[in-house]
Amino acid sequence: DAKTTQPNSMESNEEEPVHLPCNHSTISGTDYIHWYRQLPSQGPEYVIHGLTSNVNNRMASLAIAEDRKSSTLILHRATLRDAAVYYCILRPRNSGNTPLVFGKGTRLSVIA
Amino acid sequence: NAGVTQTPKFQVLKTGQSMTLQCAQDMNHEYMSWYRQDPGMGLRLIHYSVGAGITDQGEVPNGYNVSRSTTEDFPLRLLSAAPSQTSVYFCASSYSQLAYGYTFGSGTRLTVV
């Protein structure tokens, strides 16, 4: 299975943009890039996903490198509520029986 | 409200007792999974199902049984509870298509004494 590498932790000031990186150098052409986050004492929640093109939704933006070996989750204005562990996960397009498997993720701290 | 419902939210068991953690979803999702999360650690996959009547083992299946008799329900059974099973358990569900993300329940916090 293709693996992802994320920094253990990052820190951001409130109301500033945050760029959370993810390296996936062994990604295959059919792997989707998914992001989830887990707020303290809660279950994970889906944030965004993409294949090749950059993606935007109400929560965040996903920027995917042209060679697809890395991606960046962008929070445009961090709030205290965005403090969470963020997970970058690769999912094959034909995932079939492949479940969601979590790595260690990046713990984001937001400073007021 | 549509979503994944886990019961109970909290449970204390004695070593050797058995119990079932319930998970139900009302979104007609094909995929369902169980995870455990130990304090300060990441999520580890216990068992998963891609549809009614189909289950498979994840990373840490020992000590747990599952069945999927309906699309809606995916109970997790602890056969003989051990202190090492003290953890927070999360259930999740998803459509099979990758265009959709997984929806997680709020978790069951289990303590085995």
Side-chain angles (χ1 to χ4, degrees), chain A residues 32 34 36 38 42-44 46 49 87 91-93 95-97 99-102, chain B residues 31 33 35 37 42-43 45 48 50 59 90 96 98-102 104-106:
Chain A
Y32 279 83
H34 281 236
Y36 285 76
Q38 187 175 20
Q42 295 190 27
Y46 165 80
H49 78 279
Y87 298 95
R91 301 202 69 206
R93 177 182 295 180
S95 64
N97 294 338
L100 199 62
V101 177
F102 288 82
Chain B
Y31 289 2
S33 303
Y35 297 84
Q37 186 170 37
L43 292 104
L45 181 67
Y48 63 99
V50 297
E59 307 167 68
F90 290 103
S96 59
L98 278 180
Y100 300 92
Y102 272 80
F104 282 77
S106 57

Side-chain angles (χ1 to χ4, degrees), chain A residues 48-104:
Chain A
I48 199 167
H49 78 279
L51 183 63
T52 56
S53 303
N54 295 343
V55 185
N56 301 297
N57 66 21
R58 63 175 181 79
M59 291 181 69
S61 295
L62 176 59
I64 301 172
E66 196 168 335
D67 64 5
R68 300 207 331 121
K69 293 184 185 301
S70 66
S71 60
T72 302
L73 181 71
I74 302 167
L75 307 179
H76 296 285
R77 280 182 77 229
T79 69
L80 296 178
R81 194 191 174 279
D82 291 321
V85 180
Y86 288 79
Y87 298 95
C88 171
I89 301 171
L90 300 183
R91 301 202 69 206
R93 177 182 295 180
N94 298 318
S95 64
N97 294 338
T98 305
L100 199 62
V101 177
F102 288 82
K104 297 188 184 306

Side-chain angles (χ1 to χ4, degrees), chain B residues 55-72:
Chain B
T55 64
D56 207 345
Q57 297 181 350
E59 307 167 68
V60 288
N62 293 339
Y64 307 94
N65 272 356
V66 291
S67 60
R68 184 100 180 268
S69 56
T70 67
T71 300
E72 295 78 19

Side-chain angles (χ1 to χ4, degrees), chain B residues 10-84:
Chain B
F10 301 93
Q11 183 71 47
V12 178
L13 284 180
K14 293 183 179 179
T15 297
Q17 286 185 316
S18 62
M19 79 159 294
T20 299
L21 278 61
Q22 301 291 344
C23 176
Q25 52 90 9
D26 56 1
M27 299 170 282
N28 204 31
H29 285 170
E30 299 97 327
Y31 289 2
M32 295 187 76
S33 303
W34 275 104
Y35 297 84
R36 61 176 287 174
Q37 186 170 37
D38 300 336
M41 304 292 286
L43 292 104
R44 292 186 290 172
L45 181 67
I46 305 172
H47 285 284
Y48 63 99
S49 169
V50 297
I54 306 169
T55 64
D56 207 345
Q57 297 181 350
E59 307 167 68
V60 288
N62 293 339
Y64 307 94
N65 272 356
V66 291
S67 60
R68 184 100 180 268
S69 56
T70 67
T71 300
E72 295 78 19
D73 300 298
F74 192 41
L76 178 71
R77 280 182 287 278
L78 278 70
L79 308 173
S80 177
S84 61

